[in-house]
Amino acid sequence: MTNGTTIARNSDFLFLYEAIQCNPNGDIDQENKPRMDYDNQVNLVTDVRVKRYIRDFLKTQDKEIFVDMEGENKVSPDSKLKAVLLRLLSQPEEVKTAFEGRDDLIKRFEEIQQKAAVKTPEELIKFMQDKKNKELCSETNRFLLSYLVKQKFIDIRFFGSAFAIEGFTKSYIGPIQLNWGYSLHKVEIMESNSIVTIMNDGSSTIGKDYRVYYSLLAFAGTVNKYAAVGTGLTDEDLNEFRQAIWESIPALPTRSKLNQYPKLYVEINYNDGFNNGHFGDLRQYVNVKPKGDLDEKQIRKFDDLILDTSRLLQLLKENKTEKEGDNKPIYNVNIYTGNGVTFSL
């Protein structure tokens, strides 16, 4: 549960992680081969895959996740929201907490309970979702949904969500966004003659085991203070995100995802008046090349590469505020490295 104020600054970030003899993101349209831009031999990973890593990690930290199963069962967003509402309405003290400071809505909720004249929380939810009761219930419903987002679902505070659920329809734009990642070099797919069993919705099929030899993947993302107002993203939440994106990649290794490790996270926090994307995609300021006489087809580990961040570091140093009154865009820069070292420029 969070009680802090929403973040006060816009940010851009760059995140790199390596994948060694694994499948970073299978493409179901290509026999679950690693997702590729075949024209350029570049390995691709979707933002959805990274968000899933983060959500799974947050679950291990006992955080309540909305885009998740309910118990051991896969559920629709409709069913998930109803289950969470049911738990909330079954605890009168938490309902009071949800409406704290809004005496008008407390009175409205009491009126809803009286008019519903029901005996169980399940029946009350049904009443609140009935179109006939929209005028009576809509404001209360919106407030309860906002409470759940801001106090329960950290993944929605991060990434947003669209609720198209009777009586609780609302779209939350996620303040944290990242785009598809791509490898900073050409990637070779390992030829595989091994056969594996793939479980799919209770049935099994036989398929090949495809992997990359090595891939250094780069992602660019943003944290937007204006969207944070809607979901309630706080500085505490942002710290949770930094930890999650860094630790989630190696934290839950499956057979196909084993051997993935974070290498670099750089976050630029902007001064007032400067918005996301001020410097464009931060990946344009880093590049890699093979060491010595190696070519890209022979890359097998991080030590086979030279990672050049000199342009990025120069950009950060030239644009960072050094003293009060500087009209420079960067307020602060946080840098996390593969050695677990955190420092600020």
Side-chain angles (χ1 to χ4, degrees), residues 288-322:
V288 301
K289 62 180 180 180
K291 285 183 178 178
D293 296 330
L294 294 175
D295 63 32
E296 289 181 283
K297 291 183 179 180
Q298 296 174 303
I299 296 170
R300 297 293 183 268
K301 58 185 182 298
F302 186 72
D303 285 344
D304 290 340
L305 294 169
I306 297 172
L307 174 62
D308 184 359
T309 61
S310 57
R311 290 179 62 217
L312 177 62
L313 290 171
Q314 188 65 29
L315 175 82
L316 301 179
K317 289 177 181 178
E318 289 177 354
N319 289 277
K320 185 179 180 298
T321 298
E322 298 296 337

Side-chain angles (χ1 to χ4, degrees), residues 85-91 118-128:
L85 277 171
L86 180 60
R87 288 196 288 273
L88 173 62
L89 296 177
S90 298
Q91 302 176 61
V118 295
K119 296 180 180 180
T120 67
E122 291 94 332
E123 293 172 320
L124 180 58
I125 292 172
K126 187 175 181 180
F127 179 88
M128 295 167 72

Side-chain angles (χ1 to χ4, degrees), residues 134-230:
K134 182 178 180 180
E135 185 175 348
L136 176 64
C137 299
S138 59
E139 187 178 4
T140 302
N141 290 2
R142 285 195 301 270
F143 196 86
L144 283 176
L145 182 58
S146 178
Y147 170 80
L148 291 174
V149 168
K150 294 180 179 181
Q151 298 297 332
K152 297 289 187 180
F153 303 129
I154 192 170
D155 58 329
I156 298 181
R157 294 202 299 278
F158 285 179
F159 307 127
S161 183
F163 294 90
I165 300 166
E166 191 65 53
F168 294 88
T169 298
K170 184 174 174 58
S171 179
Y172 288 91
I173 297 173
I176 300 176
Q177 298 292 342
L178 67 161
N179 47 24
W180 282 32
Y182 57 75
S183 61
L184 295 173
H185 55 92
K186 292 182 180 179
V187 169
E188 289 287 300
I189 295 180
M190 298 172 65
E191 294 294 332
S192 173
N193 294 318
S194 62
I195 302 296
V196 295
T197 300
I198 303 170
M199 305 305 295
N200 183 20
D201 297 330
S203 61
S204 63
T205 58
I206 302 299
K208 286 190 174 182
D209 181 14
Y210 295 102
R211 299 169 182 242
V212 298
Y213 280 110
Y214 184 85
S215 180
L216 183 62
L217 293 148
F219 297 80
T222 64
V223 186
N224 185 269
K225 66 180 181 180
Y226 303 108
V229 175

